Amino acid sequence: MTPVKNSPLVRKLSAFVALSEAELAVLDHLHQRRRTFLAGRDLVHQGQSEQAAYILSAGWVCSYKLQPDGTRQIVDFQIPGDFLGLRSVLLRTSDHSFEPLTDIQAAEVLKGDLLDAFTHTPRLAMAVLWAASRDEAMVVEHLVGIGRRNAEARMAHFLLELASRLALVGMGSREGYDCPLTQYHLADALGLSAVHVNRVLRQLRENGLVTFRDGHVSIHDHEGLIKLGEFDPAYLDQDGPLVR
Amino acid sequence: MTPVKNSPLVRKLSAFVALSEAELAVLDHLHQRRRTFLAGRDLVHQGQSEQAAYILSAGWVCSYKLQPDGTRQIVDFQIPGDFLGLRSVLLRTSDHSFEPLTDIQAAEVLKGDLLDAFTHTPRLAMAVLWAASRDEAMVVEHLVGIGRRNAEARMAHFLLELASRLALVGMGSREGYDCPLTQYHLADALGLSAVHVNRVLRQLRENGLVTFRDGHVSIHDHEGLIKLGEFDPAYLDQDGPLVR
DNA sequence: CGACTCCTTGAAGCGGCTCAAACATGGTGG
DNA sequence: CCACCATGTTTGAGCCGCTTCAAGGAGTCG
């Protein structure tokens, strides 16, 4: 068993597609150029034209857009197994920024290598495209949450989505997971003020639903959280095209 | 000049890519199966697995998600030249619904035909992928707006984005455009109540910025609107990969 | 130890919501 | 032809969810 078989990306893709040895080898190759980045130092700045994408293998990242008035909106968080800047390398200059929330490990993927991989293993291309599509579905769900759910439901939904994503790459379970986010991150992601995030977390804790403390999320009442957050994991779980 | 050269999709793509005769012919072929749908009758329902995509050639559509509590969030509006259900045909069951806001004309595109077209004219595939990427950038911008802009700025931004998109397919200008949306649609899109939408529109009108009345948007102060909505069209205008 | 980051809580204000009602328009059927 | 209804717009009144401002506490790092 080569090391890459335990990589988060392989775990994620394998949950939906049985990868052949050849495909695993290609993925292995893509993981060659390992790099490290420090927490808090932006990877890509808004508007910058970028040549490389990354496969995140350890640590957390957020992608966000800055407003002229200084506020920011976090669009998504990336966890191990996720791509960074996939679209910008293929199609256009990046329209948002990436900030590592922790020190991270990522494999740099050059445009040429990626296109080669897609040419030689089209099934892998479809698998990656499927992952990108899933990411987009998450952004849409995020949009719905901010537009139509109140603060409590938003938080519940968000924590459940994270639990589900992390479990897929073996970094947590229904009972809980480690999470390096601060309440400021939660605020910027959920479109709330940090103060209100604190109050909402307290309320969820006091109602025995979930506790977020010292970098760890403990889910006490999974059912209750699902109900409160109107969480329907369909948008995360749908089968890719390859298993049909 | 064949009729398809005036199709909104061709207009849109041509703004960023010079299409060859062969590529125009392929696009022409994709426009063969013309169909009509009536306003208010959903095209695709949430969760439904769909086999075809559509190229919208006339009329307006919105894509939305319904919440268990009955509220809905409109994710995006589609105007002539836009694809409907592109992702769902390639990758997964649709995770939102489509409702025609007016009677519409659309060309049905079968999965097979689309894949054939992509295989034979890869430049066209990239162009379509570019359009899809632009759509996604719009969703992200929408997310930012709902999360971090107040009602007035949201409305200003939204009306400007529409102006820009419509101008690209020859359906309006900086001065204004026809728009079949009701205040309820605006509310569901912007995450507001219909009542508040009305008040915001009144305010914009009284401040001499823009008037939305009788299905027509008249932009009186383009500069002022841009400033109020913090509208930066970079996410719409960026060059595709083919013109580099 | 001081400086910094993050969490926590209180108090007060406001942006946007809900409820309610009136009006205008266009289509429909008796 | 008019009575009626459905759909959309407009406006008022009151309220609540969330924000802003303010300040204290707790942990950590140089």
Side-chain angles (χ1 to χ4, degrees):
Chain A
M1 185 128 151
T2 60
V4 76
K5 288 200 184 174
N6 282 320
S7 84
L9 177 58
V10 171
R11 290 185 79 130
K12 185 168 82 167
L13 296 182
S14 296
F16 299 92
V17 183
L19 294 168
S20 70
E21 284 300 322
E23 286 154 356
L24 285 172
V26 170
L27 275 179
D28 200 23
H29 180 68
L30 288 180
H31 277 80
Q32 294 296 43
R33 308 167 140 265
R34 302 186 165 279
R35 297 190 55 180
T36 300
F37 297 93
L38 298 183
R41 312 277 278 232
D42 269 17
L43 270 159
V44 184
H45 280 293
Q46 218 160 314
Q48 187 178 336
S49 176
E50 194 56 15
Q51 62 296 351
Y54 297 91
I55 301 168
L56 187 58
S57 52
W60 290 52
V61 177
C62 75
S63 55
Y64 64 93
K65 286 193 86 160
L66 238 36
Q67 295 290 99
D69 66 4
T71 62
R72 78 168 177 177
Q73 176 66 46
I74 292 180
V75 175
D76 202 359
F77 295 98
Q78 280 76 40
I79 59 172
D82 288 344
F83 273 92
L84 295 175
L86 183 58
R87 211 166 325 115
S88 76
V89 73
L90 289 178
L91 284 166
R92 50 193 298 140
T93 60
S94 172
D95 62 348
H96 41 260
S97 313
F98 292 98
E99 179 194 330
L101 305 176
T102 65
D103 292 351
I104 62 167
Q105 263 231 316
E108 193 177 44
V109 181
L110 301 181
K111 180 172 181 170
D113 289 350
L114 192 63
L115 291 179
D116 280 357
F118 284 1
T119 310
H120 294 123
T121 50
R123 261 172 55 103
L124 190 58
M126 286 304 270
V128 170
L129 209 54
W130 167 82
S133 163
R134 184 171 177 266
D135 290 348
E136 198 178 335
M138 288 196 294
V139 173
V140 168
E141 194 63 32
H142 192 175
L143 173 69
V144 173
I146 292 188
R148 286 297 181 216
R149 284 194 272 262
N150 65 22
E152 233 187 335
R154 244 179 270 179
M155 182 69 74
H157 192 280
F158 174 79
L159 294 177
L160 285 170
E161 182 185 285
L162 263 189
S164 189
R165 292 174 63 189
L166 288 165
L168 194 58
V169 291
M171 294 179 65
S173 68
R174 310 212 127 199
E175 279 78 47
Y177 50 89
D178 290 327
C179 176
L181 305 183
T182 70
Q183 295 182 357
Y184 291 91
H185 292 128
L186 293 174
D188 283 345
L190 300 179
L192 300 169
S193 68
V195 171
H196 201 59
V197 163
N198 185 281
R199 289 193 234 271
V200 168
L201 285 176
R202 167 159 53 132
Q203 202 168 338
L204 292 178
R205 191 188 329 124
E206 287 174 356
N207 290 343
L209 291 166
V210 62
T211 300
F212 187 171
R213 186 160 269 169
D214 298 328
H216 189 83
V217 175
S218 305
I219 298 176
H220 306 125
D221 181 358
H222 202 266
E223 273 306 305
L225 264 190
I226 285 178
K227 206 164 163 189
L228 177 62
E230 295 175 342
F231 183 68
D232 174 4
Y235 71 101
L236 292 175
D237 293 343
Q238 283 177 12
D239 292 336
L242 305 178
V243 286
R244 279 187 204 140
Chain B
M1 185 129 150
T2 58
V4 76
K5 288 199 187 177
N6 283 319
S7 83
L9 176 58
V10 171
R11 289 185 80 132
K12 185 168 79 167
L13 296 182
S14 296
F16 298 91
V17 183
L19 294 168
S20 71
E21 284 300 322
E23 286 155 356
L24 286 172
V26 170
L27 274 179
D28 200 23
H29 180 68
L30 287 181
H31 278 79
Q32 294 296 43
R33 308 168 139 262
R34 302 187 163 279
R35 298 190 55 179
T36 300
F37 298 93
L38 299 182
R41 312 277 278 232
D42 270 17
L43 271 159
V44 184
H45 279 293
Q46 220 161 313
Q48 187 176 336
S49 175
E50 194 54 18
Q51 61 296 352
Y54 298 92
I55 300 168
L56 187 58
S57 51
W60 291 51
V61 177
C62 73
S63 55
Y64 64 93
K65 285 194 87 160
L66 238 36
Q67 296 289 100
D69 65 3
T71 63
R72 78 169 175 177
Q73 176 66 48
I74 292 179
V75 175
D76 203 359
F77 295 99
Q78 281 75 41
I79 59 172
D82 289 342
F83 273 92
L84 297 175
L86 183 58
R87 211 164 327 113
S88 76
V89 72
L90 288 178
L91 283 167
R92 51 194 296 139
T93 60
S94 172
D95 61 348
H96 41 259
S97 313
F98 292 98
E99 179 194 329
L101 304 176
T102 65
D103 292 351
I104 63 166
Q105 264 230 317
E108 193 176 44
V109 182
L110 301 183
K111 179 172 182 169
D113 289 351
L114 193 62
L115 291 179
D116 281 356
F118 284 1
T119 310
H120 295 124
T121 51
R123 262 172 55 102
L124 190 58
M126 285 305 269
V128 170
L129 208 53
W130 168 82
S133 163
R134 184 171 177 268
D135 290 348
E136 198 178 335
M138 289 196 294
V139 173
V140 168
E141 195 62 32
H142 192 176
L143 172 69
V144 173
I146 293 187
R148 286 299 180 214
R149 284 193 273 262
N150 66 23
E152 231 186 338
R154 244 179 271 180
M155 182 68 74
H157 192 281
F158 175 78
L159 294 176
L160 285 170
E161 181 185 287
L162 263 188
S164 189
R165 293 174 63 188
L166 288 165
L168 194 57
V169 291
M171 293 179 67
S173 69
R174 309 212 127 198
E175 278 77 49
Y177 50 89
D178 290 326
C179 176
L181 304 183
T182 69
Q183 296 182 354
Y184 290 92
H185 291 128
L186 293 174
D188 283 346
L190 300 179
L192 301 169
S193 69
V195 171
H196 201 59
V197 162
N198 184 280
R199 288 192 235 271
V200 168
L201 285 176
R202 168 159 54 132
Q203 202 167 339
L204 292 178
R205 192 188 328 125
E206 289 173 355
N207 290 343
L209 291 166
V210 63
T211 301
F212 186 171
R213 184 161 271 168
D214 298 328
H216 190 83
V217 175
S218 305
I219 298 176
H220 307 123
D221 180 359
H222 201 267
E223 273 306 304
L225 263 191
I226 285 179
K227 207 163 161 189
L228 177 63
E230 295 175 340
F231 183 69
D232 174 3
Y235 71 101
L236 293 174
D237 292 343
Q238 282 176 13
D239 292 338
L242 305 177
V243 287
R244 279 189 203 138

